Amino acid sequence: MTEPLILVLDEGTTSTRAMLFTPAGELRGTAQRELTQHYSRPGWVEHDAGEIWDKTVACAREMVERAGGAGRIAAIGVTNQRETVVAWDRATGEPLARALVWQDRRTAAFCEELRAAGHEDAVRETTGLLLDPYFSATKMRWLLDNEPAVAEAARAGRLAFGTIESWLVFRLTDGAAHVSDAGNASRTLLLPLTGATWDSGLCDLFGVPPAALPEVVDSAGQFGTTALFGAWIPICGLAGDQQAATIGQGCLAPGETKATYGTGAFVLANKGSDAPRSRNRLLGTVLHQLGGRRCYALEGSVFVAGSLIQWLRDSLQMIVRADESEELARSVEDNAGVVVVPALSGLGAPHWRAEARGAITGLSFAATRAHVVRAALEAISHQTQNLADAFAADGAEWTELRIDGGMSANDWLAQDIADITALPVVRPDFVETTALGAAMLAAVGAGLHGSLEQACAAMIGGTRRFEPAMANDLRKARLAAWEKALAAV
Ligand code: ADP
């Protein structure tokens, strides 16, 4: 008997991918296409939803062929860049405007207006989020106010809004399903953390017509079927990328925490069935919803992580390749007093200081390129430690940290994070945790595994551990130097 396969559609910010997994978590193939980024004005970031769809289908077709036909595929799982908004016409399935990407800051003034009017505390209490352009609702409002086709479709009752998973499921099912999983929905500012569906008061506040929104559904189940690839394939798993990575890291029990170090760094801690209310400017979010029951997470995002290494490479030309940072860090005994504060685009959690800018402090004639590069990597550990303190203050103390993302390949950094947080750091051998998490949800939705715990046992492989080994006085000195440099930016 041939084994069933799971097709994962991994919709990133810079690329779209399709990947094939077995129910044992083995990767059988990957197809990838880059996505065009449209930066039409400073602070604006747009995607063409039609391009996302076309490239998704192209990647998926490659993988269906690799599988030996659609009949071999038991389920589709989707994972996606979160918060990005697509507006389309329900009748034609055509996009009505460019998609506004999560990074897009055009609604900053609207957010400020709402904050000045005193809405932030109530919004935070209900949704777990902050009034920031990052989240979807103000982007929906902008589209209604500024794109005549969107406003016209709303008047005619034909407007559909959704995040990327919602858009793809609509197209995959030929318009039969307009859904969003609770995890993605919890990033819009329109879903109460503890409410089953959209909140009419929040829809009013942001000026978003509830009729345009998708139905809020579980993260695993049967969300529709697609006939696009020659045989019917059910869509069985949906999750935003950070939620999927948390699941793919096996953080299924309260307290289990992962950090993804890519362009930025995203830390999520499982909070079980308690809706988290941060007092330290972390976010409360839905990790997954199964059988209508929610599991929550506390989240902290750092804007600059791997992008700091890219900046050292491309703008300062201190290194030629990102992985050269490891060799350089190892080539010196310490940082020679150099501290890098990577506030190149402000500071995210737990500081939320949009106006802060980066700094390199402690320079002397003893400082070399290697010291600056080492200090840049050390900054990633220090930012992680600041998040660890905020999580602990919110009652979500870490006992170990599971890491992934492009930067986690750096062994020196992994050890430094363990040293500075004084916690074991665990890195999976298979680092594509986002896609794996989506495959796990799809496997559960399709009944290939009975529960996420069973999927975890069957699909997650080996790990490497980094134990903390730094002398305490050295650690204290590093933390003190960081706090001093941070206070000065
Ligand atoms: P994203 O998914 O956000 O595009 P990735 O997870 O692919 O990012 O990670 C890429 C980032 O990791 C880049 O910013 C790069 O500078 C950084 N990076 C990759 N390899 C290393 C390394 N060995 N050491 C330090 N940084 C690295």
Side-chain angles (χ1 to χ4, degrees):
M1 200 185 87
T2 49
E3 68 185 336
L5 294 169
I6 301 153
L7 175 64
V8 169
L9 307 178
D10 180 355
E11 307 296 328
T13 308
T14 55
S15 74
T16 177
R17 296 193 297 178
M19 298 161 94
L20 268 186
F21 284 90
T22 69
E26 287 155 26
L27 181 65
R28 285 290 163 82
T30 303
Q32 181 163 10
R33 301 274 192 288
E34 296 302 314
L35 290 178
T36 315
Q37 311 291 315
H38 299 273
Y39 303 109
S40 47
R41 294 193 202 178
W44 289 28
V45 188
E46 298 168 351
H47 283 163
D48 174 348
E51 180 190 352
I52 293 178
W53 168 245
D54 291 343
K55 289 184 170 170
T56 298
V57 172
C59 291
R61 282 197 202 286
E62 265 184 55
M63 286 301 101
V64 170
E65 205 168 300
R66 174 86 56 93
R72 293 285 316 282
I73 298 174
I76 291 176
V78 181
T79 179
N80 57 291
Q81 47 162 319
R82 305 176 301 172
E83 297 99 9
T84 298
V85 174
V86 184
W88 69 92
D89 184 320
R90 277 182 202 288
T92 65
E94 288 305 315
L96 295 164
R98 290 253 177 83
L100 304 194
V101 178
W102 59 275
Q103 295 150 313
D104 193 294
R105 309 297 296 173
R106 77 185 63 185
T107 58
F110 181 36
C111 290
E112 192 47 56
E113 223 175 89
L114 292 170
R115 208 175 300 121
H119 292 295
E120 184 153 70
D121 284 351
V123 167
R124 194 193 305 172
E125 191 58 31
T126 311
T127 66
L129 310 176
L130 304 167
L131 280 173
D132 190 276
Y134 179 26
F135 307 107
S136 313
T138 60
K139 295 181 155 85
M140 294 177 182
R141 171 64 179 274
W142 190 94
L143 287 167
L144 282 162
D145 288 348
N146 294 279
E147 292 286 352
V150 175
E152 176 49 36
R155 271 192 296 276
R158 293 196 327 264
L159 175 64
F161 273 136
T163 37
I164 298 290
E165 89 297 357
S166 187
W167 162 240
L168 292 182
V169 173
F170 187 91
R171 291 298 300 255
L172 283 165
T173 61
D174 203 17
H178 184 206
V179 297
S180 178
D181 70 282
N184 268 299
S186 79
R187 313 296 296 181
T188 57
L189 284 170
L190 301 173
L191 184 78
L193 276 175
T194 54
T197 190
W198 313 109
D199 181 272
S200 56
L202 289 168
C203 289
D204 277 354
L205 179 68
F206 292 103
V208 173
L213 296 173
E215 180 192 351
V216 180
V217 296
D218 279 358
S219 317
Q222 304 271 335
F223 306 116
T225 49
T226 183
L228 212 65
F229 305 108
W232 292 96
I233 310 176
I235 302 158
C236 299
L238 303 174
D241 50 10
Q242 298 306 322
Q243 274 80 350
T246 308
I247 293 164
Q249 282 273 23
C251 296
L252 301 182
E256 291 176 339
T257 305
K258 72 90 198 177
T260 299
Y261 296 94
T263 306
F266 295 87
V267 179
L268 272 80
N270 185 312
K271 286 289 287 172
S273 54
D274 298 336
R277 313 279 179 199
S278 175
R279 298 284 162 255
N280 296 279
R281 299 185 74 76
L282 301 173
L283 305 175
T285 203
V286 175
L287 176 57
H288 58 70
Q289 179 179 306
L290 298 171
R293 304 237 320 263
R294 287 194 186 151
C295 174
Y296 297 94
L298 199 60
E299 173 171 333
S301 0
V302 163
F303 300 140
V304 178
S307 53
L308 180 67
I309 304 304
Q310 261 168 9
W311 176 75
L312 290 179
R313 187 191 65 190
D314 301 338
S315 299
L316 298 194
Q317 299 178 350
M318 276 196 181
I319 50 177
V320 177
R321 297 181 327 271
D323 61 1
E324 199 191 336
S325 61
E326 175 161 355
E327 261 163 69
L328 279 168
R330 284 188 197 283
S331 73
V332 286
E333 293 261 295
D334 57 25
N335 58 23
V338 180
V339 180
V340 174
V341 183
L344 280 79
S345 54
L347 289 167
H351 314 288
W352 294 103
R353 284 169 49 199
E355 75 302 339
R357 286 297 170 265
I360 303 178
T361 68
L363 293 171
S364 71
F365 283 113
T368 64
R369 176 172 77 103
H371 294 113
V372 174
V373 171
R374 180 170 167 134
L377 291 177
E378 289 179 351
I380 309 302
S381 310
H382 294 140
Q383 297 193 103
T384 305
Q385 174 56 30
N386 286 157
L387 283 178
D389 288 340
F391 275 74
D394 270 340
E397 196 163 351
W398 310 345
T399 51
E400 65 172 31
L401 185 64
R402 304 181 191 182
I403 65 168
D404 54 49
M407 259 195 133
S408 72
N410 188 315
D411 289 349
W412 187 88
L413 175 63
Q415 182 59 48
D416 198 59
I417 295 169
D419 287 344
I420 289 299
T421 58
L423 290 173
V425 163
V426 181
R427 185 179 65 197
D429 300 333
F430 180 71
V431 293
E432 299 287 359
T433 53
T434 303
L436 184 61
M440 287 166 61
L441 286 169
V444 172
L448 299 171
H449 293 301
S451 65
L452 266 185
E453 286 70 20
Q454 285 174 20
C456 180
M459 298 176 78
I460 297 182
T463 56
R464 172 162 172 198
R465 282 174 81 83
F466 298 84
E467 297 292 342
M470 187 177 273
N472 201 33
D473 53 346
L474 204 59
R475 174 174 181 263
K476 284 206 166 125
R478 280 268 306 274
L479 292 175
W482 164 256
E483 290 304 329
K484 193 169 156 216
L486 190 63
V489 302

